[in-house]
Amino acid sequence: MADEKPTKKTLDIKRRPMPKQDHHERIKNFEEVALGYPVPTAREEASRCLDCKTALCNKGCPVGIDIPGFIKRIVEGDFAAGIRKIKETNALPAICGRVCPQEEQCEKMCVLGKKGEPVSIGRLERFLADWEAGQDKIEIPVMAPKTGKKVAIVGAGPAGVTVANDLLILGHDVTIYEALHECGGVLIYGIPEFRLPKSIVKREVDYVRRLGAKIEMDFIVGTTRTVDELLEEFDALFVGAGAGLPWFMEIPGENLNGVYSANEYLTRVNLMKGYRFPEYDTPVKQPARVAVVGGGNVAMDSARTAVRLGADEVHLVYRRSRTELPARLEEVENAEEEGVIFDLLTLPVRLIGDENGWIKEMECLEMELGEPDDSGRRRPVPVKGSNFLMPADAVVIAIGNSPNPLIPMTTPGLELNKKGGLMTSPETARTSKARVWAGGDVVRGAATVISAMGDGRIAAASIHKYLTGQE
Amino acid sequence: MYEVIERRMIVPNLHEFTVRAPAVARSVKPGQFVIVRPEENGERIPLSVADWDREAGTVTSIFMQVGASTAKLARLKPGQTIPTYAGPLGRKTDIENFGTVLLVGGCYGIGSIYPVARALKEAGNKVYTFLEARGSFLLYWEDKLAAASDGMFIATRDGTKGRKGHIADMPAMLSAAGITPDRVIVNGCTFLLMRTSELTRPLGWKTVVNMNPIMIDGTGMCGVCRVSVGGKMKFACVDGPDFDGHEIDWAEFLARRKSYGPEEVDPLRRSSCASHF
Ligand SMILES: Cc1cc2nc3c(=O)[nH]c(=O)nc-3n(C[C@H](O)[C@H](O)[C@H](O)COP(=O)(O)OP(=O)(O)OC[C@H]3O[C@@H](n4cnc5c(N)ncnc54)[C@H](O)[C@@H]3O)c2cc1C
Ligand SMILES: Cc1cc2nc3c(=O)[nH]c(=O)nc-3n(C[C@H](O)[C@H](O)[C@H](O)COP(=O)(O)OP(=O)(O)OC[C@H]3O[C@@H](n4cnc5c(N)ncnc54)[C@H](O)[C@@H]3O)c2cc1C
Ligand code: SF4
Ligand code: SF4
Ligand code: FES
């Protein structure tokens, strides 16, 4: 495609690095690691963009942000126009700019990536969102006249918040029901402060509140009221309840003391602020030698949390090799810098406790990679007779989560998909039950923030059509 | 924010605690629990429900002051508010016409067994209640329970009321009265749950225990409340809290319940006497 070739300027193939807290310092605090671009760097990085006519990057973004559109505003120095551009399609830019797997999405598609490094789209998105936050006046979009229709949303995670945002702008009344005492879902209880400051999540949730969302906390849909009861009051209902059910390995010893699901470990630290115990009441153990089992973002977050809680040694135990690690590369590198020891090609088979029922060591097997499996990754196979013992006084299991069964258990008529999530139509996000939509991790199983938001947009559009009699 | 309607010590160290929470009051059922946070920096702790008034929108629990969070609850006065009162959580106790049911309550469980008794009675059961306490000074709600029961048994360690003894005397007391229950339901401290299950196992009496592991979210998200039941891992907050007492791995359960011992005792020491020296 000829129009993507740069005509005037020479290719600037190196992306501008983003300043980070030094790793010697940051392992001692819970503050954000990446510090964001200063204005001049942001404008330099933005001017690397070729403003392609057929911008491939846009196709890589699940919520369809006009990427060259907002980047151009940064070059011009009109940051207010830039953030407005993003907010046309993305209600949570400060969050996406930080935690989106950009290297798999927008940045993967950027043409500059073919010759050198892609434009740092995520960092620029973050830059604008942070700039706006510093302005102390957040713009409220033009709202459609009230329609009088009422929508209930289950769960204040990224999926639910996105649906709320879109439907409020379209003039519908929205009530969000959240089981916990804070909004944000995994963004609040799972992803740690040092990767996503909670003040940012609070700010973005407050934004939807300012648009007029009613939020009912401590409300567990299924037991406080059922979906069917809510449907008597509301015209439509969206389920964005996430994938909160932690998996265990189903090996002996998993109920020993000192063995945690990553959800428990991270919730104690993030939601309950255990790292500030006893100022906050919820305790978290501070063991010397922690083993985290798994290789995704959740495992990296757990391992890096253990480092910050002061463990002497933190091991990340993963059954495949470094190339197969599902976590974002940037986070793997951060973890390595912070001193996390990677025990790759290693599989725990038994957890062994001391006489008081506390974890003492893990029996593991060495693995080697065989033929590729269904996921296309090479299958790990145990090396015969390679059993060995690894001492550990805490084990954090971070091998995955699946959708919580509470809602299907209490709601007749909701069909499930193969992952145990709610079955939906991909075009509309409608479930098998009339007037009920769903999206995000409750449908996909543990996925990403941006895919949850993408589902939310589809659902909101479909709910709007239904409410206005267009279908 | 949730308004405290009543908080008073009804017997030494046990408090009756009533909160305005209309959404919970509307749908709560016997055997369920709520999660409470006494203040903004507070921990989430589970409390079983002991009564409710659907019209007034209030819910009542009985709690025992044991550590930092319950100490904070114990300082609350009517009119004050607490930031979290979430529920109802857990599955309700199975209520059917089983025939003859024995309800065993001790400690806070004397309170939380009450709505179970009421519902079983309404369902047509013959309901007997067995209360265990150190002394008569720790018994409460006897009149409420008497009204919901066909007969009451009481054992106190010091003999100040009922038989001088404890739960181990329960089978003999029942057989003297000619009662063989079709089902036993136990609410209260871990030892009462475990001891009762041990006693009824050889007798073949189906025994349901209302488990009380450490919890955080109460919605199935964190897995801290896991309990081994019949060799399978269950989450007490969503699969329970009622389980078959004969299938629980009690040794594991006791170890898990104690896992935060040192941390929990620490703030107590720091916040009370030690600070005066
Ligand atoms: C530790 C960790 C790190 C991660 N890192 C990344 C990352 O770097 N990048 C990325 O893109 N993704 C990451 N993810 C995944 C991402 O956070 C999720 O895919 C995303 O949050 C899903 O959004 P959601 O709205 O579907 O659900 P959630 O965020 O799970 O929110 C669901 C909400 O619903 C509430 N809820 C559940 N049941 C009920 C009920 N019955 N009634 C009322 N409310 C209910 C829950 O309390 C919760 O608040 C990470 C996940 C974890 C756990
Ligand atoms: C489903 C359920 C229902 C319960 N109902 C009642 C009730 O009706 N009345 C009542 O007095 N108590 C009840 N409990 C127990 C009550 O939750 C604990 O006593 C309380 O959490 C202790 O908090 P604390 O900070 O005051 O004490 P802590 O100092 O935290 O702990 C004292 C003891 O309680 C244990 N414990 C600590 N945190 C928890 C927790 N979150 N859940 C369970 N145990 C914990 C500790 O291991 C320790 O042995 C129930 C527990 C569960 C799981
Ligand atoms: S939302 Fe995510 S995928 Fe879309 S442009 Fe921003 S960082 Fe890229
Ligand atoms: S970000 Fe990359 S693909 Fe997108 S317009 Fe700029 S140069 Fe082109
Ligand atoms: S309390 Fe967290 S899963 Fe039960």
Side-chain angles (χ1 to χ4, degrees):
Chain A
M1 275 177 271
D3 48 35
E4 271 155 34
K5 294 249 166 62
T7 44
K8 292 185 218 80
K9 54 185 176 184
T10 47
L11 280 182
D12 182 353
I13 55 165
K14 275 267 175 240
R15 52 161 70 193
R16 301 293 176 271
M18 176 162 56
K20 302 200 263 194
Q21 262 202 80
D22 178 70
H23 61 89
H24 298 292
E25 274 312 307
R26 70 179 192 243
I27 58 169
K28 294 181 230 147
N29 65 52
F30 274 83
E31 274 139 49
E32 192 171 14
V33 168
L35 300 172
Y37 281 145
V39 174
T41 322
R43 293 184 69 173
E44 262 177 51
E45 179 65 25
S47 48
R48 293 179 60 223
C49 170
L50 307 174
D51 193 10
C52 312
K53 286 228 178 64
T54 351
L56 291 175
C57 52
N58 287 344
K59 298 202 176 65
C61 175
V63 295
I65 293 185
D66 173 1
I67 295 170
F70 88 73
I71 293 183
K72 193 159 45 179
R73 305 300 193 285
I74 301 181
V75 181
E76 292 163 358
D78 188 354
F79 304 144
I83 188 71
R84 218 176 294 132
K85 192 95 223 148
I86 294 179
K87 285 205 169 165
E88 283 168 11
T89 51
N90 183 346
L92 309 173
I95 294 165
C96 295
R98 284 175 168 81
V99 303
C100 250
Q102 293 108 7
E103 64 276 19
E104 298 291 323
Q105 297 177 346
C106 50
E107 294 178 10
K108 186 179 190 176
M109 309 291 281
C110 171
V111 284
L112 275 186
K114 299 204 178 87
K115 287 265 163 56
E117 292 174 340
V119 175
S120 303
I121 301 168
R123 293 171 185 178
L124 292 173
E125 182 174 346
R126 165 189 170 151
F127 166 78
L128 283 177
D130 290 356
W131 173 84
E132 187 192 34
Q135 295 310 295
D136 213 41
K137 68 166 204 299
I138 306 257
E139 273 184 50
I140 299 284
V142 187
M143 312 279 284
K146 287 270 176 215
T147 62
K149 301 284 183 190
K150 294 168 67 186
V151 184
I153 292 177
V154 183
V161 168
T162 304
V163 177
N165 175 76
D166 289 11
L167 290 176
L168 286 162
I169 294 176
L170 292 165
H172 308 296
D173 272 345
V174 168
T175 306
I176 303 179
Y177 294 100
E178 169 55 50
L180 293 175
H181 61 269
E182 286 200 38
C183 292
V186 168
L187 308 182
I188 277 286
Y189 73 72
I191 303 182
E193 180 77 19
F194 56 81
R195 208 148 67 76
L196 179 64
K198 301 306 147 221
S199 56
I200 291 173
V201 182
K202 289 212 172 91
R203 193 172 76 215
E204 309 252 2
V205 172
D206 274 346
Y207 175 72
V208 219
R209 214 181 251 129
R210 295 243 304 263
L211 296 185
K214 267 189 257 137
I215 304 184
E216 297 258 6
M217 240 88 84
D218 307 330
F219 197 109
I220 304 94
V221 175
T223 61
T224 312
R225 301 206 72 193
T226 61
V227 167
D228 283 321
E229 285 167 335
L230 289 173
L231 283 172
E232 290 169 13
E233 252 178 73
F234 291 89
D235 300 296
L237 182 141
F238 174 82
V239 183
L245 184 79
W247 292 349
F248 287 87
M249 293 181 284
E250 294 177 28
I251 61 174
E254 271 183 305
N255 287 352
L256 286 166
N257 282 334
V259 181
Y260 309 92
S261 76
N263 280 2
E264 179 192 348
Y265 194 66
L266 294 169
T267 299
R268 278 185 186 277
V269 176
N270 295 321
L271 178 70
M272 306 311 297
K273 304 255 184 300
Y275 67 96
R276 284 161 69 182
F277 181 84
E279 178 194 347
Y280 285 76
D281 285 344
T282 306
V284 54
K285 291 273 169 188
Q286 312 210 335
R289 201 183 150 105
V290 180
V292 176
V293 184
N297 286 323
V298 185
M300 295 305 146
D301 284 346
S302 305
R304 298 174 65 200
T305 296
V307 168
R308 284 164 175 76
L309 287 174
D312 299 336
E313 242 179 61
V314 179
H315 291 250
L316 189 123
V317 180
Y318 179 58
R319 60 191 179 134
R320 304 183 203 242
S321 75
R322 192 174 184 280
T323 32
E324 287 85 23
L325 281 168
R328 295 185 58 195
L329 184 62
E330 190 181 329
E331 305 307 341
V332 174
E333 288 168 357
N334 279 334
E336 284 170 340
E337 270 179 18
E338 290 166 12
V340 174
I341 301 159
F342 284 63
D343 293 312
L344 301 165
L345 291 165
T346 305
L347 179 76
V349 290
R350 186 160 68 105
L351 304 182
I352 303 162
D354 65 14
E355 59 284 2
N356 298 318
W358 281 89
I359 177 81
K360 187 176 76 177
E361 53 197 1
M362 283 204 300
E363 182 180 336
C364 299
L365 283 176
E366 281 171 28
M367 310 293 277
E368 57 191 12
L369 292 180
E371 294 301 306
D373 62 12
D374 311 340
S375 72
R377 296 176 302 175
R378 292 178 63 196
R379 187 196 302 275
V381 279
V383 178
K384 268 224 166 64
S386 63
N387 304 47
F388 68 99
L389 292 175
M390 180 188 289
D393 42 20
V395 171
V396 180
I397 299 173
I399 57 168
N401 287 297
S402 50
N404 189 312
L406 189 60
I407 292 196
M409 239 160 53
T410 52
T411 313
L414 277 180
E415 277 172 46
L416 299 185
N417 60 30
K418 280 191 294 250
K419 289 182 183 140
L422 300 185
M423 190 156 75
T424 55
S425 133
E427 294 82 37
T428 59
R430 270 178 179 268
T431 66
S432 55
K433 190 175 172 80
R435 296 195 286 134
V436 179
W437 284 255
D441 283 6
V442 76
V443 170
R444 298 166 180 264
T448 59
V449 173
I450 196 69
S451 60
M453 294 177 58
D455 290 354
R457 311 225 72 205
I458 293 171
S462 170
I463 293 172
H464 177 65
K465 270 196 180 162
Y466 165 76
L467 293 177
T468 51
Q470 298 174 55
E471 65 171 43
Chain B
M1 289 298 209
Y2 302 85
E3 189 193 347
V4 177
I5 301 298
E6 177 71 281
R7 199 277 317 138
R8 64 188 177 98
M9 203 193 272
I10 44 168
V11 294
N13 217 31
L14 282 174
H15 299 252
E16 185 177 310
F17 181 49
T18 302
V19 174
R20 187 181 314 284
V24 182
R26 173 155 61 182
S27 48
V28 64
K29 313 238 165 41
Q32 290 186 305
F33 62 95
V34 292
I35 292 251
V36 178
R37 220 159 41 106
E39 57 175 39
E40 269 316 325
N41 292 0
E43 204 178 6
R44 297 169 66 94
I45 63 162
L47 296 178
S48 311
V49 295
D51 208 352
W52 53 83
D53 182 335
R54 297 207 203 279
E55 249 107 79
T58 61
V59 183
T60 300
S61 292
I62 304 289
F63 71 84
M64 184 197 248
Q65 184 180 335
V66 288
S69 306
T70 44
K72 284 179 182 165
L73 290 180
R75 287 198 290 270
L76 290 168
K77 294 193 179 66
Q80 287 187 302
T81 58
I82 54 171
T84 298
Y85 197 85
L89 293 160
R91 295 175 185 236
K92 66 182 177 65
T93 298
D94 279 340
I95 304 289
E96 277 174 41
N97 190 344
F98 298 110
T100 301
V101 186
L102 176 73
L103 302 177
V104 178
C107 178
Y108 71 80
I110 296 177
S112 61
I113 206 82
Y114 166 67
V116 182
R118 200 171 50 189
L120 284 169
K121 184 96 186 110
E122 274 165 23
N125 292 278
K126 258 209 156 357
V127 174
Y128 294 96
T129 309
F130 183 98
L131 306 182
E132 193 213 53
R134 281 214 320 275
S136 59
F137 67 100
L138 287 172
L139 291 169
Y140 57 95
W141 284 18
E142 283 164 85
D143 46 343
K144 281 176 96 161
L145 278 163
S149 314
D150 295 282
M152 285 251 273
F153 299 87
I154 293 176
T156 52
R157 307 270 165 85
D158 61 4
T160 43
K161 184 135 198 194
R163 151 107 57 138
K164 180 171 174 12
H166 44 74
I167 185 67
D169 299 305
M170 180 269 286
M173 289 163 78
L174 283 201
S175 91
I179 297 164
T180 310
D182 297 298
R183 172 173 290 238
V184 179
I185 304 176
V186 199
N187 279 23
C189 77
T190 306
F191 281 95
L192 187 69
L193 305 180
M194 180 175 74
R195 285 283 131 73
T196 311
S197 302
E198 282 164 357
L199 286 167
T200 56
R201 186 198 305 273
L203 300 169
W205 297 351
K206 162 106 185 158
T207 299
V208 175
V209 288
N210 192 260
M211 297 295 279
N212 49 15
I214 293 180
M215 293 190 176
I216 301 177
D217 59 305
T219 67
M221 179 271 279
C222 73
V224 69
C225 63
R226 57 198 192 274
V227 179
S228 292
V229 184
K232 290 216 174 61
M233 186 189 287
K234 299 281 180 190
F235 288 4
C237 67
V238 284
D239 302 322
D242 278 358
F243 292 110
D244 184 334
H246 299 152
E247 296 206 327
I248 304 261
D249 180 338
W250 290 103
E252 175 191 284
F253 186 77
L254 285 182
R256 287 188 68 74
R257 192 85 174 47
K258 284 195 292 237
S259 54
Y260 280 90
E263 285 82 356
E264 304 283 18
V265 178
D266 211 35
L268 266 188
R269 240 192 287 123
R270 225 172 310 116
S271 59
S272 57
C273 318
S275 60
H276 299 299
F277 292 102

